Amino acid sequence: MENIRYIMWDWNGTLLDDLQINFEIENSLLRKRGLREMESIEKYHQVFTFPIIRFYERMGFDLENERFEDIARDYVYEYEQRFHEAEIFGDAERVIRYFRTAGVEQIILSMTESKWLFSQVAFHGIDHLFSDILGTGDIYARSKVDIAKKWMAEKGVSGDEVLFIGDTTHDFEVAQSIGCECVLISRGHNCREALEKTGARVADSISELIE
């Protein structure tokens, strides 16, 4: 940890507490299609995976008769109506400011579309705490690896200078792909059991990083 000069934060489920809203939105999409809803957050955790298209398959969406892109647009529409209901985790700003004071440069890396991501971070009044806010070019949430690699190449940053903090097994895969250290937080979109199987360090909250 002593060599860490940069922290890459995931957004959804890591800094933004939107698990419950996502659970409700996905059930709304299932209900509108006459499909069986997920009965609990535990079920959501069981089926949550990447790529996101696989997540929709596991939830029970009929992707033979409906395009994933159409479902994704429905999801984005509903999330846009409700994103203001999600709060950043209570310890998020304190931890971000702690690392900022320590001279660590911080970046958000998300599969959320870039303009939408920036508007969400700005809505919560913490956009000024990050040197870069990196999202994708579309709404289909495919991968963060290329975005991270491009940023690192442009900045001349090596993997051993970066700590990636996320809440999913995909975040671990991203960290592995860019050669950096990773900590996973178990209060987001993947359950602790799934996170522990990666072999990464798992914490219950980001407060543990400074406590």
Side-chain angles (χ1 to χ4, degrees), residues 20-33:
Q20 181 65 34
I21 288 175
N22 272 279
F23 170 70
E24 292 173 7
I25 290 173
E26 300 297 4
N27 270 344
S28 172
L29 298 182
L30 289 165
R31 183 166 58 250
K32 288 176 179 177
R33 291 161 173 79

mmCIF file with all atom_site columns, all heavy atoms in Angstrom, residues 20-33:
data_model
loop_
_atom_site.group_PDB
_atom_site.id
_atom_site.type_symbol
_atom_site.label_atom_id
_atom_site.label_alt_id
_atom_site.label_comp_id
_atom_site.label_asym_id
_atom_site.label_entity_id
_atom_site.label_seq_id
_atom_site.pdbx_PDB_ins_code
_atom_site.Cartn_x
_atom_site.Cartn_y
_atom_site.Cartn_z
_atom_site.occupancy
_atom_site.B_iso_or_equiv
_atom_site.pdbx_formal_charge
_atom_site.auth_seq_id
_atom_site.auth_comp_id
_atom_site.auth_asym_id
_atom_site.auth_atom_id
_atom_site.pdbx_PDB_model_num
ATOM 1   N N   . GLN A 1 20 ? -30.623 -1.412  -3.440  1.00 0.00 ? 20 GLN A N   1
ATOM 2   C CA  . GLN A 1 20 ? -32.064 -1.585  -3.278  1.00 0.00 ? 20 GLN A CA  1
ATOM 3   C C   . GLN A 1 20 ? -32.820 -1.031  -4.486  1.00 0.00 ? 20 GLN A C   1
ATOM 4   O O   . GLN A 1 20 ? -33.768 -1.653  -4.979  1.00 0.00 ? 20 GLN A O   1
ATOM 5   C CB  . GLN A 1 20 ? -32.540 -0.898  -2.000  1.00 0.00 ? 20 GLN A CB  1
ATOM 6   C CG  . GLN A 1 20 ? -34.034 -1.053  -1.721  1.00 0.00 ? 20 GLN A CG  1
ATOM 7   C CD  . GLN A 1 20 ? -34.455 -2.492  -1.453  1.00 0.00 ? 20 GLN A CD  1
ATOM 8   O OE1 . GLN A 1 20 ? -33.692 -3.268  -0.872  1.00 0.00 ? 20 GLN A OE1 1
ATOM 9   N NE2 . GLN A 1 20 ? -35.659 -2.864  -1.876  1.00 0.00 ? 20 GLN A NE2 1
ATOM 10  N N   . ILE A 1 21 ? -32.394 0.115   -4.977  1.00 0.00 ? 21 ILE A N   1
ATOM 11  C CA  . ILE A 1 21 ? -33.059 0.713   -6.142  1.00 0.00 ? 21 ILE A CA  1
ATOM 12  C C   . ILE A 1 21 ? -32.899 -0.187  -7.362  1.00 0.00 ? 21 ILE A C   1
ATOM 13  O O   . ILE A 1 21 ? -33.853 -0.409  -8.121  1.00 0.00 ? 21 ILE A O   1
ATOM 14  C CB  . ILE A 1 21 ? -32.505 2.118   -6.414  1.00 0.00 ? 21 ILE A CB  1
ATOM 15  C CG1 . ILE A 1 21 ? -33.004 3.077   -5.340  1.00 0.00 ? 21 ILE A CG1 1
ATOM 16  C CG2 . ILE A 1 21 ? -32.905 2.617   -7.807  1.00 0.00 ? 21 ILE A CG2 1
ATOM 17  C CD1 . ILE A 1 21 ? -32.416 4.470   -5.447  1.00 0.00 ? 21 ILE A CD1 1
ATOM 18  N N   . ASN A 1 22 ? -31.707 -0.740  -7.564  1.00 0.00 ? 22 ASN A N   1
ATOM 19  C CA  . ASN A 1 22 ? -31.507 -1.640  -8.696  1.00 0.00 ? 22 ASN A CA  1
ATOM 20  C C   . ASN A 1 22 ? -32.366 -2.887  -8.569  1.00 0.00 ? 22 ASN A C   1
ATOM 21  O O   . ASN A 1 22 ? -32.953 -3.343  -9.562  1.00 0.00 ? 22 ASN A O   1
ATOM 22  C CB  . ASN A 1 22 ? -30.027 -2.021  -8.806  1.00 0.00 ? 22 ASN A CB  1
ATOM 23  C CG  . ASN A 1 22 ? -29.243 -1.048  -9.643  1.00 0.00 ? 22 ASN A CG  1
ATOM 24  O OD1 . ASN A 1 22 ? -29.260 -1.102  -10.868 1.00 0.00 ? 22 ASN A OD1 1
ATOM 25  N ND2 . ASN A 1 22 ? -28.563 -0.128  -8.978  1.00 0.00 ? 22 ASN A ND2 1
ATOM 26  N N   . PHE A 1 23 ? -32.444 -3.436  -7.381  1.00 0.00 ? 23 PHE A N   1
ATOM 27  C CA  . PHE A 1 23 ? -33.290 -4.609  -7.134  1.00 0.00 ? 23 PHE A CA  1
ATOM 28  C C   . PHE A 1 23 ? -34.738 -4.300  -7.508  1.00 0.00 ? 23 PHE A C   1
ATOM 29  O O   . PHE A 1 23 ? -35.401 -5.087  -8.207  1.00 0.00 ? 23 PHE A O   1
ATOM 30  C CB  . PHE A 1 23 ? -33.176 -5.003  -5.657  1.00 0.00 ? 23 PHE A CB  1
ATOM 31  C CG  . PHE A 1 23 ? -34.158 -6.036  -5.200  1.00 0.00 ? 23 PHE A CG  1
ATOM 32  C CD1 . PHE A 1 23 ? -34.046 -7.345  -5.630  1.00 0.00 ? 23 PHE A CD1 1
ATOM 33  C CD2 . PHE A 1 23 ? -35.185 -5.697  -4.332  1.00 0.00 ? 23 PHE A CD2 1
ATOM 34  C CE1 . PHE A 1 23 ? -34.958 -8.322  -5.200  1.00 0.00 ? 23 PHE A CE1 1
ATOM 35  C CE2 . PHE A 1 23 ? -36.092 -6.658  -3.896  1.00 0.00 ? 23 PHE A CE2 1
ATOM 36  C CZ  . PHE A 1 23 ? -35.979 -7.968  -4.331  1.00 0.00 ? 23 PHE A CZ  1
ATOM 37  N N   . GLU A 1 24 ? -35.234 -3.156  -7.100  1.00 0.00 ? 24 GLU A N   1
ATOM 38  C CA  . GLU A 1 24 ? -36.622 -2.786  -7.385  1.00 0.00 ? 24 GLU A CA  1
ATOM 39  C C   . GLU A 1 24 ? -36.849 -2.515  -8.864  1.00 0.00 ? 24 GLU A C   1
ATOM 40  O O   . GLU A 1 24 ? -37.889 -2.885  -9.423  1.00 0.00 ? 24 GLU A O   1
ATOM 41  C CB  . GLU A 1 24 ? -37.007 -1.562  -6.550  1.00 0.00 ? 24 GLU A CB  1
ATOM 42  C CG  . GLU A 1 24 ? -37.066 -1.866  -5.052  1.00 0.00 ? 24 GLU A CG  1
ATOM 43  C CD  . GLU A 1 24 ? -37.275 -0.626  -4.196  1.00 0.00 ? 24 GLU A CD  1
ATOM 44  O OE1 . GLU A 1 24 ? -37.504 0.464   -4.770  1.00 0.00 ? 24 GLU A OE1 1
ATOM 45  O OE2 . GLU A 1 24 ? -37.213 -0.752  -2.960  1.00 0.00 ? 24 GLU A OE2 1
ATOM 46  N N   . ILE A 1 25 ? -35.888 -1.884  -9.518  1.00 0.00 ? 25 ILE A N   1
ATOM 47  C CA  . ILE A 1 25 ? -36.031 -1.601  -10.947 1.00 0.00 ? 25 ILE A CA  1
ATOM 48  C C   . ILE A 1 25 ? -36.031 -2.891  -11.762 1.00 0.00 ? 25 ILE A C   1
ATOM 49  O O   . ILE A 1 25 ? -36.860 -3.065  -12.667 1.00 0.00 ? 25 ILE A O   1
ATOM 50  C CB  . ILE A 1 25 ? -34.919 -0.654  -11.427 1.00 0.00 ? 25 ILE A CB  1
ATOM 51  C CG1 . ILE A 1 25 ? -35.143 0.743   -10.857 1.00 0.00 ? 25 ILE A CG1 1
ATOM 52  C CG2 . ILE A 1 25 ? -34.872 -0.598  -12.965 1.00 0.00 ? 25 ILE A CG2 1
ATOM 53  C CD1 . ILE A 1 25 ? -34.013 1.709   -11.139 1.00 0.00 ? 25 ILE A CD1 1
ATOM 54  N N   . GLU A 1 26 ? -35.106 -3.794  -11.455 1.00 0.00 ? 26 GLU A N   1
ATOM 55  C CA  . GLU A 1 26 ? -35.069 -5.057  -12.202 1.00 0.00 ? 26 GLU A CA  1
ATOM 56  C C   . GLU A 1 26 ? -36.374 -5.823  -12.014 1.00 0.00 ? 26 GLU A C   1
ATOM 57  O O   . GLU A 1 26 ? -36.904 -6.397  -12.977 1.00 0.00 ? 26 GLU A O   1
ATOM 58  C CB  . GLU A 1 26 ? -33.882 -5.911  -11.760 1.00 0.00 ? 26 GLU A CB  1
ATOM 59  C CG  . GLU A 1 26 ? -32.510 -5.271  -11.957 1.00 0.00 ? 26 GLU A CG  1
ATOM 60  C CD  . GLU A 1 26 ? -32.138 -4.984  -13.408 1.00 0.00 ? 26 GLU A CD  1
ATOM 61  O OE1 . GLU A 1 26 ? -32.958 -5.205  -14.315 1.00 0.00 ? 26 GLU A OE1 1
ATOM 62  O OE2 . GLU A 1 26 ? -31.001 -4.521  -13.632 1.00 0.00 ? 26 GLU A OE2 1
ATOM 63  N N   . ASN A 1 27 ? -36.914 -5.824  -10.819 1.00 0.00 ? 27 ASN A N   1
ATOM 64  C CA  . ASN A 1 27 ? -38.193 -6.495  -10.600 1.00 0.00 ? 27 ASN A CA  1
ATOM 65  C C   . ASN A 1 27 ? -39.317 -5.806  -11.348 1.00 0.00 ? 27 ASN A C   1
ATOM 66  O O   . ASN A 1 27 ? -40.240 -6.461  -11.852 1.00 0.00 ? 27 ASN A O   1
ATOM 67  C CB  . ASN A 1 27 ? -38.514 -6.554  -9.102  1.00 0.00 ? 27 ASN A CB  1
ATOM 68  C CG  . ASN A 1 27 ? -37.958 -7.809  -8.449  1.00 0.00 ? 27 ASN A CG  1
ATOM 69  O OD1 . ASN A 1 27 ? -37.592 -8.774  -9.121  1.00 0.00 ? 27 ASN A OD1 1
ATOM 70  N ND2 . ASN A 1 27 ? -37.886 -7.810  -7.129  1.00 0.00 ? 27 ASN A ND2 1
ATOM 71  N N   . SER A 1 28 ? -39.248 -4.488  -11.461 1.00 0.00 ? 28 SER A N   1
ATOM 72  C CA  . SER A 1 28 ? -40.250 -3.755  -12.240 1.00 0.00 ? 28 SER A CA  1
ATOM 73  C C   . SER A 1 28 ? -40.203 -4.169  -13.706 1.00 0.00 ? 28 SER A C   1
ATOM 74  O O   . SER A 1 28 ? -41.249 -4.394  -14.345 1.00 0.00 ? 28 SER A O   1
ATOM 75  C CB  . SER A 1 28 ? -40.007 -2.248  -12.108 1.00 0.00 ? 28 SER A CB  1
ATOM 76  O OG  . SER A 1 28 ? -40.847 -1.523  -12.983 1.00 0.00 ? 28 SER A OG  1
ATOM 77  N N   . LEU A 1 29 ? -38.996 -4.329  -14.244 1.00 0.00 ? 29 LEU A N   1
ATOM 78  C CA  . LEU A 1 29 ? -38.843 -4.744  -15.648 1.00 0.00 ? 29 LEU A CA  1
ATOM 79  C C   . LEU A 1 29 ? -39.362 -6.170  -15.843 1.00 0.00 ? 29 LEU A C   1
ATOM 80  O O   . LEU A 1 29 ? -39.999 -6.476  -16.853 1.00 0.00 ? 29 LEU A O   1
ATOM 81  C CB  . LEU A 1 29 ? -37.383 -4.651  -16.066 1.00 0.00 ? 29 LEU A CB  1
ATOM 82  C CG  . LEU A 1 29 ? -36.729 -3.263  -16.017 1.00 0.00 ? 29 LEU A CG  1
ATOM 83  C CD1 . LEU A 1 29 ? -35.287 -3.334  -16.506 1.00 0.00 ? 29 LEU A CD1 1
ATOM 84  C CD2 . LEU A 1 29 ? -37.514 -2.253  -16.855 1.00 0.00 ? 29 LEU A CD2 1
ATOM 85  N N   . LEU A 1 30 ? -39.067 -7.025  -14.878 1.00 0.00 ? 30 LEU A N   1
ATOM 86  C CA  . LEU A 1 30 ? -39.574 -8.404  -14.961 1.00 0.00 ? 30 LEU A CA  1
ATOM 87  C C   . LEU A 1 30 ? -41.105 -8.421  -14.885 1.00 0.00 ? 30 LEU A C   1
ATOM 88  O O   . LEU A 1 30 ? -41.773 -9.116  -15.658 1.00 0.00 ? 30 LEU A O   1
ATOM 89  C CB  . LEU A 1 30 ? -38.988 -9.241  -13.821 1.00 0.00 ? 30 LEU A CB  1
ATOM 90  C CG  . LEU A 1 30 ? -37.502 -9.585  -13.907 1.00 0.00 ? 30 LEU A CG  1
ATOM 91  C CD1 . LEU A 1 30 ? -36.981 -10.096 -12.566 1.00 0.00 ? 30 LEU A CD1 1
ATOM 92  C CD2 . LEU A 1 30 ? -37.249 -10.632 -14.997 1.00 0.00 ? 30 LEU A CD2 1
ATOM 93  N N   . ARG A 1 31 ? -41.652 -7.653  -13.964 1.00 0.00 ? 31 ARG A N   1
ATOM 94  C CA  . ARG A 1 31 ? -43.100 -7.623  -13.754 1.00 0.00 ? 31 ARG A CA  1
ATOM 95  C C   . ARG A 1 31 ? -43.821 -7.131  -15.004 1.00 0.00 ? 31 ARG A C   1
ATOM 96  O O   . ARG A 1 31 ? -44.865 -7.683  -15.391 1.00 0.00 ? 31 ARG A O   1
ATOM 97  C CB  . ARG A 1 31 ? -43.405 -6.717  -12.557 1.00 0.00 ? 31 ARG A CB  1
ATOM 98  C CG  . ARG A 1 31 ? -44.870 -6.653  -12.169 1.00 0.00 ? 31 ARG A CG  1
ATOM 99  C CD  . ARG A 1 31 ? -45.043 -6.027  -10.789 1.00 0.00 ? 31 ARG A CD  1
ATOM 100 N NE  . ARG A 1 31 ? -44.472 -4.691  -10.715 1.00 0.00 ? 31 ARG A NE  1
ATOM 101 C CZ  . ARG A 1 31 ? -43.371 -4.368  -10.029 1.00 0.00 ? 31 ARG A CZ  1
ATOM 102 N NH1 . ARG A 1 31 ? -42.685 -5.295  -9.371  1.00 0.00 ? 31 ARG A NH1 1
ATOM 103 N NH2 . ARG A 1 31 ? -42.934 -3.119  -9.998  1.00 0.00 ? 31 ARG A NH2 1
ATOM 104 N N   . LYS A 1 32 ? -43.292 -6.124  -15.662 1.00 0.00 ? 32 LYS A N   1
ATOM 105 C CA  . LYS A 1 32 ? -43.926 -5.581  -16.870 1.00 0.00 ? 32 LYS A CA  1
ATOM 106 C C   . LYS A 1 32 ? -43.965 -6.593  -17.999 1.00 0.00 ? 32 LYS A C   1
ATOM 107 O O   . LYS A 1 32 ? -44.794 -6.481  -18.910 1.00 0.00 ? 32 LYS A O   1
ATOM 108 C CB  . LYS A 1 32 ? -43.173 -4.331  -17.326 1.00 0.00 ? 32 LYS A CB  1
ATOM 109 C CG  . LYS A 1 32 ? -43.389 -3.128  -16.419 1.00 0.00 ? 32 LYS A CG  1
ATOM 110 C CD  . LYS A 1 32 ? -42.552 -1.942  -16.857 1.00 0.00 ? 32 LYS A CD  1
ATOM 111 C CE  . LYS A 1 32 ? -42.784 -0.741  -15.957 1.00 0.00 ? 32 LYS A CE  1
ATOM 112 N NZ  . LYS A 1 32 ? -41.929 0.413   -16.319 1.00 0.00 ? 32 LYS A NZ  1
ATOM 113 N N   . ARG A 1 33 ? -43.078 -7.577  -17.935 1.00 0.00 ? 33 ARG A N   1
ATOM 114 C CA  . ARG A 1 33 ? -43.018 -8.604  -18.977 1.00 0.00 ? 33 ARG A CA  1
ATOM 115 C C   . ARG A 1 33 ? -43.705 -9.894  -18.548 1.00 0.00 ? 33 ARG A C   1
ATOM 116 O O   . ARG A 1 33 ? -43.635 -10.899 -19.253 1.00 0.00 ? 33 ARG A O   1
ATOM 117 C CB  . ARG A 1 33 ? -41.555 -8.868  -19.346 1.00 0.00 ? 33 ARG A CB  1
ATOM 118 C CG  . ARG A 1 33 ? -40.919 -7.688  -20.067 1.00 0.00 ? 33 ARG A CG  1
ATOM 119 C CD  . ARG A 1 33 ? -39.411 -7.734  -20.031 1.00 0.00 ? 33 ARG A CD  1
ATOM 120 N NE  . ARG A 1 33 ? -38.810 -6.691  -20.866 1.00 0.00 ? 33 ARG A NE  1
ATOM 121 C CZ  . ARG A 1 33 ? -38.703 -5.409  -20.500 1.00 0.00 ? 33 ARG A CZ  1
ATOM 122 N NH1 . ARG A 1 33 ? -39.145 -5.019  -19.305 1.00 0.00 ? 33 ARG A NH1 1
ATOM 123 N NH2 . ARG A 1 33 ? -38.167 -4.523  -21.320 1.00 0.00 ? 33 ARG A NH2 1
#
